[in-house]
Amino acid sequence: MTREAPTNDVDEAHLEVGKPKTWAAGIPGVAVSLARGVEQMGVVRTARTLRLLNQRAGFDCPGCAWPEPRQVDGEKRKLAEFCENGAKAVAEEATKRHIGREFFAAHPVAELAGHTDFWLGQQGRLTEPLVLREGGTHYEPISWADAFELVAGELRALASPDEAIFYTSGRTSNEAAFVYQLLVRSFGTNNLPDCSNMCHESSGAALSAAIGVGKGSVTLADLYQADLIVVVGQNPGTNHPRMLSALEVAKGNGARIVAVNPLPEAGLMRFKNPQLVRGVVGKGTPLADEFAQIRVGGDLALFQAVGHLLLRWEEAAPGSIVDHEFVRNETLGFEDWAKQLREIDWPETERATGLLRTQVEHLARMIAGSERTIYCWAMGLTQHKHAVPTIAEIANLALARGMIGRPGAGLCPVRGHSNVQGDRTMGIWEKMPEKFMDSLEGEFGITVPRKHGRDTVDSIRAMLDGRGKVFFAMGGNFASATPDSERTAEALRSCALTVHVSTKLNRSHVVPGRTALILPTLGRTERDEQQSGRQFVTVEDSMSQVHASRGRLAPASEHLLSEVAIVCRLADQLFGPGHAVPWQSFEQDYDLIRDRIAAVVPGCHDYNRRVREPDGFVLPHPPRDSRRFTGTATGKGMFTVSELDFPKVPEGRLLLQTVRSHDQYNTTIYGLSDRYRGIEDGRRVVFVHPEDLIALGIADGEIVDLVSEWRDGERRAPAFRAVSYPTARGCAAAYFPEANALVPLDSVAEKSNTPVSKAIVVRLEPRHHS
Ligand SMILES: Nc1nc2c(c(=O)[nH]1)N[C@H]1C(S)=C(S)[C@@H](COP(=O)(O)OP(=O)(O)OC[C@H]3O[C@@H](n4cnc5c(=O)[nH]c(N)nc54)[C@H](O)[C@@H]3O)O[C@H]1N2
Ligand SMILES: Nc1nc2c(c(=O)[nH]1)N[C@H]1C(S)=C(S)[C@@H](COP(=O)(O)OP(=O)(O)OC[C@H]3O[C@@H](n4cnc5c(=O)[nH]c(N)nc54)[C@H](O)[C@@H]3O)O[C@H]1N2
Ligand SMILES: [Mo]
């Protein structure tokens, strides 16, 4: 095994900031990213940091999971292979603002709780371990050793390991995730909820059943070759800006792009590529050729109607649309699907989608005429009650036309967190398959619990009714990211102990259990020195590519531990000497962890060598690689028959979806501007169609309460400004996490248990001032 020689750090003296050639300055996106960097990090650190972002010798962007171009595809990485929002994510982590004991001595927890998420996040990086003692009013310093003893003591005192809950957010590296799940399973529980439960769980559930792998089947090269790309329920201009570059290439190669969205998202409508001079000076590329302004939650109806039309046209001209050979040899259930879609109810389809029949026919014609179709989607599809059937319906279309495992075609769920997919591969899941558990037992000689654990929503329920007593979070911001904010806060507060491994202060720290710990950790950008030398970690992107990420910046404080070190030291304390897992060696040398990943995780053989290749390696994906569906129950691609479902909204109510602004990363708020949607200096807004405002008797700009109506009662989020906006009729939008208080805990997707964050029935109540 070869240990890599640490690559020399980039010489800061040779870097220049703001030179047009380096960053194609002159457009707002680049200007904003530089300004935010300089504000948080200073000029030299900004130059140096952005220079290393997404380069082979540098670190993986802690923003989204969109892949970087690969050498094997004959592509060079651009000098600036990052986007405005990636630069903001980095600035947020590499900030020079720090907070330590003085800060916490000056601010009681009760006071901190009164600040916004924006304010909390802006205070700076956490620099030392902190404890809030039972009955205490302030966080105070604690040594690492005492912190681990405290956690281990509380865990050992539980009546059952299942009373502990171990959450993960998707920034955690593969190495940290692997040792973390090993600790949790050695302790005796599968309570491993993660952010993915609220994110792409519906995609995983639908795709596992349909194609046998819960991951997307396309590569960047496929996107470049597609002739039709359908982007459904996704706002890439804000959340995956580097995807726009790929769409632009595809378009240059002749692809057509369709956006299906209740909102006319600016990034899709017109895109100026900062990497190209033409993008800076010209008008930019209008990306979307077609925009289907669908009603929130209408996608199942839309794709069933498309399926119906394709089948009818196939009947009229047999062989023109359906790939019969593929369907016959590789799939099951086609006939049942075709039978179910023989007749559809057009008026119902128009009600559900808000689209005219002619618009649906137009879209279906584009799909019928395409030889290489890719479907991309994100939260607009996954966070609905009927999310799983909706995604399964898209898979039906792809299977019927043989659009899987063929160049330029396939299914592309676009992941969120930069390593959310890798964390799953490493075993962060409350219901990992038996085979994985067997390997884990075989490799380590431990006993792994087989009973499925709790996901995010079930964890909240367990804490609420006293079955969950210790809450441990590897990153993330559980209090703000989850639904039903008040009940979640009550759940966390009822715990004996809450522990957060974090880089920055957030809401979860000020919603503490009886005792609470904050364990500060290294970020992705920072150097990780251990006994055997400088370490690197690995991550997996949205297209199953696994590669190395090397932190280069000086850590925010000398008291930080890496996530791996935190897990290993806690395990050592919890299990004592002589435990079957060599925790101390793992902390000293991450290669030793990777050797075990190679032995346990499918597709990861020879891991240490392959992650040292310039672009790493791609995990196997049978449908993508060989058009086989070995992972499904039948070994075939499975058509799914679903009943039509869509949200029904009573008179005078709107269907509210919660979205991200252009200036946030989930619960981390970078600023108060949502440039593409024309919002500046504020976040408490609700976007409503002008005619709905008139019908409701509410003036543009009026301040209203949002009241969500659910079978167990009402929830209220006060004081939002109504903004007249061209969203689909009957729909509304507000920002996550401000609107999370409105999402009922029991409003979840069938099968995936994902909170329904995109379809909340609300009424707007004007605030009457006396
Ligand atoms: N800068 C930045 N980047 C990010 C994030 C961030 O917060 N900031 N978050 C990361 C994470 S974890 C994730 S999961 C992704 C999220 O990426 P996205 O899914 O793009 O994020 P959202 O803001 O939730 O946008 C949902 C989109 O779906 C549309 N939509 C809502 N309801 C429906 C519907 O019923 N049907 C259809 N067809 N469309 C609908 C909305 O109008 C919106 O355009 O981004 C990742 N990248
Ligand atoms: N209403 C509504 N709710 C939603 C959504 C929605 O669209 N609408 N989206 C859902 C989705 S898609 C997701 S993914 C979840 C996100 O849920 P989470 O992943 O739990 O939330 P984040 O806001 O991404 O977490 C931010 C925190 O992570 C910590 N952090 C950052 N970097 C690191 C690191 O390197 N290590 C460690 N240990 N900590 C770090 C920081 O302290 C920061 O405050 O929210 C979900 N909630
Ligand atoms: Mo996500």
Side-chain angles (χ1 to χ4, degrees), residues 116-132:
T116 62
D117 293 83
F118 178 41
W119 188 92
L120 293 173
Q122 288 304 307
Q123 299 314 302
R125 286 287 298 276
L126 297 157
T127 52
E128 59 183 330
L130 298 158
V131 64
L132 178 67

Side-chain angles (χ1 to χ4, degrees), residues 167 169 171 417 477 481 501 504 506 563 658 667 740 758:
Y167 177 70
S169 167
R171 266 192 201 180
H417 264 299
N477 183 2
V501 179
K504 301 192 84 178
N506 67 41
E563 291 181 346
T658 57
T667 70
N740 284 41
K758 294 286 190 274

Side-chain angles (χ1 to χ4, degrees), residues 93 126 167-172 195-196 198-200 379 383 416-417 420 473-478 480-483 501-506 509 519 521-524 563 658-660 665-668 736-737 739-740 743 757-758 760:
E93 178 175 303
L126 297 157
Y167 177 70
T168 312
S169 167
R171 266 192 201 180
T172 295
C195 67
S196 193
M198 301 180 270
C199 187
H200 268 292
M379 297 305 101
Q383 299 175 335
H417 264 299
V420 63
M474 183 56 75
N477 183 2
F478 195 84
S480 286
T482 49
V501 179
S502 309
T503 51
K504 301 192 84 178
L505 187 64
N506 67 41
H509 306 134
L519 305 180
T521 192
L522 292 175
R524 179 96 44 92
E563 291 181 346
T658 57
V659 287
R660 291 151 172 84
Y665 192 92
N666 297 341
T667 70
T668 300
F736 148 54
N740 284 41
V743 184
S757 304
K758 294 286 190 274
I760 312 160

Side-chain angles (χ1 to χ4, degrees), residues 556-579:
S557 143
E558 56 181 350
H559 304 298
L560 303 183
L561 290 182
S562 72
E563 291 181 346
V564 168
I566 291 172
V567 172
C568 292
R569 290 192 195 183
L570 173 60
D572 221 31
Q573 181 72 40
L574 184 61
F575 304 126
H579 189 251

Side-chain angles (χ1 to χ4, degrees), residues 37-257:
V38 172
E39 189 184 312
Q40 298 264 1
M41 304 187 277
V43 173
V44 172
R45 202 168 156 93
T46 300
R48 170 165 182 201
T49 307
L50 295 184
R51 182 75 175 70
L52 289 166
L53 186 47
N54 285 338
Q55 298 302 319
R56 290 188 178 89
F59 46 82
D60 183 58
C61 180
C64 75
W66 190 256
E68 288 85 43
R70 299 186 297 169
Q71 250 165 13
V72 292
D73 299 326
E75 266 194 274
K76 284 221 174 80
R77 287 191 195 180
K78 299 179 185 80
L79 191 53
E81 190 57 60
F82 63 87
C83 69
E84 171 191 355
N85 279 344
K88 286 188 209 161
V90 166
E92 193 73 16
E93 178 175 303
T95 179
K96 280 185 165 169
R97 297 177 198 153
H98 295 161
I99 47 176
R101 58 186 71 191
E102 301 76 20
F103 174 88
F104 289 96
H107 301 281
V109 174
E111 180 218 307
L112 293 175
H115 287 289
T116 62
D117 293 83
F118 178 41
W119 188 92
L120 293 173
Q122 288 304 307
Q123 299 314 302
R125 286 287 298 276
L126 297 157
T127 52
E128 59 183 330
L130 298 158
V131 64
L132 178 67
R133 306 231 178 244
E134 190 166 347
T137 53
H138 293 69
Y139 273 103
E140 52 191 90
I142 182 174
S143 72
W144 279 107
D146 289 348
F148 293 129
E149 207 179 298
L150 200 162
V151 182
E154 288 283 353
L155 287 174
R156 276 195 296 259
L158 294 174
S160 146
D162 289 332
E163 290 182 345
I165 289 158
F166 297 89
Y167 177 70
T168 312
S169 167
R171 266 192 201 180
T172 295
S173 67
N174 284 349
E175 288 74 8
F178 186 78
V179 290
Y180 184 53
Q181 62 84 33
L182 186 58
L183 176 149
V184 172
R185 295 195 163 105
S186 300
F187 177 61
T189 182
N190 282 308
N191 284 346
L192 282 158
D194 72 343
C195 67
S196 193
N197 296 144
M198 301 180 270
C199 187
H200 268 292
E201 195 71 61
S202 304
S203 306
L207 294 183
S208 300
I211 66 167
V213 197
K215 301 176 179 181
S217 77
V218 304
T219 63
L220 273 182
D222 288 323
L223 273 163
Y224 302 156
Q225 293 169 53
D227 67 24
L228 179 66
I229 303 174
V230 188
V231 182
V232 199
Q234 191 199 349
N235 179 20
T238 286
N239 298 311
H240 306 91
R242 286 179 301 117
M243 176 175 169
L244 297 188
S245 309
L247 292 179
E248 200 181 39
V249 174
K251 213 166 152 84
N253 293 342
R256 289 197 291 171
I257 296 168

Side-chain angles (χ1 to χ4, degrees), residues 165 454-469 478 482-484 487-488 490-492 494 710-712 744-749 753-755:
I165 289 158
R454 299 195 169 98
D455 63 13
T456 294
V457 165
D458 286 338
S459 294
I460 297 169
R461 293 194 182 116
M463 289 186 265
L464 277 172
D465 60 24
R467 289 173 294 137
K469 293 181 176 152
F478 195 84
T482 49
D484 229 341
R487 288 184 76 192
T488 298
E490 191 188 327
L492 288 169
S494 68
W710 183 249
R711 51 178 187 245
D712 67 357
L745 190 60
D746 294 336
S747 176
V748 289
N753 217 25
T754 293

